[in-house]
Amino acid sequence: MTNNFIYKRFFLAALCLAVISPVLGEDEKTSAGAAGQSAVTSEPAKLVWPPPPLEPRVRYLKSIVTSDDIRGKKGFWRKFWEFFRGPQVDAMIKPMAVAVDKKGRVYVADPAAKRIHIFETARKKYRFIESVDKQFLQFPINIALDSADNLYIVDGERKRVFALTPAGKLKRIFGEQGQLQRPSGIAVDSRRKLLYVADTPSHDIKVFSLTDGKLNKTIGRRGVQPGEFNFPAWLTVGAEGHLYVTDSLNGRVQTLTPDGKPLSSVGKLGDGSGNFSSPKGIALDSDGHLYVTDAGFDNTQIFDKQGKLLLYFGGSGQAPGLFWMPAGIFIDHKDTIYIADSYNRRVQIYQYLKEKASP
């Protein structure tokens, strides 16, 4: 192949790309996801809950489907490069959990893709983790971050929890042979140096030391009484150190002390106000409100500290603000809410709006 031929090929490709650039949609407001779906990345006309004239408490911001949603519009040279290389394969298949570090990096656990997606919003970069400890991830079902932004990955198939430094280096492995049957939920208590892991088929919570990785104790057993579980799943730790557990098949969220003593519970199975169908992810905002995603109702319910239902948002669908089997939820220090919208293959982002102070 002569140099002249190569130069002509590059020239023709550049000319072709320049011609088709308007067709590629430089000014479009959507980015294509897997299976041809779209996610609106610019804010639609003030999606808020509750609707006017009531004072809004939650506002929809945007969604992440692929890295294009954090990079912005494609420039000429990026289109030119993708013309030869093909688009980067960074679409989510079945996002189940989400966490955001202090630098704004959005981590998404995607067991169907067998990887952890990392959307670096500040740098507008995308990367992923697909292997740990020289082996591929098999079923990365959940993730958590500690106060130093170390990342904890739950691999249900490998029956381990892997702790990685912010630079991605393996720090520690939790779960010796036979300690975990099928781990799912995870929560970190950095102040008490504890790692809580929901061992779903064992119907209990395993408590590990962050310092040495050893199993300290086991909380709970199968049952319906306070402090007992029926397939526990998602976990989170509140500012006061209380442990919150999605007790899935009991249709409730239990609150426990750090050492596992039951304090209270929210919800029950049913279709009434404040009931659950299939409770999944849980998180707390800066005012101590409890958020619970429900894959059966396709919504997110918000409860106050006394367990009273304050508000719910969502519904079944693919439009912004709607869900298709939502799972994990994460709320950052700015009260920005991230929800893994599993079957819509995206992460939806909202903002909790604090009540305005009285003059």
Side-chain angles (χ1 to χ4, degrees), residues 62-304:
K62 60 181 180 179
S63 293
I64 298 176
V65 179
T66 71
S67 63
D68 289 341
D69 299 318
I70 62 169
R71 290 176 176 176
K73 298 176 182 179
K74 293 184 181 181
F76 171 80
W77 289 110
R78 194 162 138 222
K79 292 178 184 177
F80 180 72
W81 173 245
E82 289 185 358
F83 181 80
F84 286 94
R85 184 206 62 184
Q88 186 166 323
V89 182
D90 54 11
M92 291 174 267
I93 298 178
K94 190 178 179 182
M96 291 297 292
V98 58
V100 183
D101 69 12
K102 296 180 182 67
K103 293 185 177 181
R105 289 178 289 209
V106 181
Y107 297 84
V108 183
D110 189 342
K114 297 185 178 183
R115 66 171 53 171
I116 304 298
H117 304 274
I118 306 173
F119 300 94
E120 299 194 42
T121 54
R123 299 176 60 205
K124 297 184 178 180
K125 300 283 187 181
Y126 168 82
R127 55 190 176 91
F128 60 88
I129 299 169
E130 63 179 1
S131 62
V132 175
D133 194 29
K134 299 180 181 180
Q135 294 184 50
F136 285 110
L137 294 171
Q138 295 300 313
F139 198 76
I141 183 66
N142 221 318
I143 50 177
L145 293 162
D146 64 18
S147 59
D149 278 344
N150 295 307
L151 176 68
Y152 298 78
I153 303 172
V154 180
D155 193 318
E157 188 69 27
R158 293 178 63 181
K159 303 178 183 181
R160 298 287 187 275
V161 176
F162 302 98
L164 307 182
T165 68
K169 294 182 179 180
L170 181 63
K171 182 177 181 180
R172 183 166 283 114
I173 300 175
F174 299 85
E176 297 176 2
Q177 185 68 33
Q179 285 185 336
L180 296 168
Q181 284 193 48
R182 186 79 175 181
S184 57
I186 185 173
V188 180
D189 187 338
S190 295
R191 188 171 64 179
R192 294 173 179 80
K193 303 296 182 183
L194 298 175
L195 176 72
Y196 298 96
V197 181
D199 197 3
T200 302
S202 295
H203 309 287
D204 59 29
I205 311 297
K206 303 295 197 308
V207 187
F208 295 88
S209 167
L210 289 179
T211 305
D212 57 19
K214 293 183 178 180
L215 178 63
N216 282 353
K217 64 182 300 183
T218 298
I219 297 173
R221 62 182 181 181
R222 190 168 197 179
V224 299
Q225 298 302 315
E228 297 178 339
F229 308 108
N230 193 5
F231 292 93
W234 268 261
L235 307 174
T236 194
V237 172
E240 71 294 327
H242 293 160
L243 176 66
Y244 296 77
V245 183
T246 301
D247 188 8
S248 298
L249 294 192
N250 281 331
R252 63 188 178 184
V253 174
Q254 293 200 63
T255 306
L256 314 175
T257 64
D259 58 356
K261 295 180 181 178
L263 292 174
S264 61
S265 69
V266 171
K268 64 179 181 179
L269 290 174
D271 57 5
S273 177
N275 293 168
F276 297 125
S277 171
S278 181
K280 297 290 185 182
I282 47 179
L284 297 158
D285 66 25
S286 62
D287 287 332
H289 301 134
L290 175 67
Y291 294 63
V292 185
T293 62
D294 195 308
F297 292 147
D298 287 324
N299 67 13
T300 299
Q301 301 184 53
I302 307 175
F303 299 85
D304 67 12

Side-chain angles (χ1 to χ4, degrees), residues 48-67:
V48 295
W49 295 264
L54 298 175
E55 183 177 351
R57 299 262 65 90
V58 175
R59 182 175 70 239
Y60 172 86
L61 297 179
K62 60 181 180 179
S63 293
I64 298 176
V65 179
T66 71
S67 63

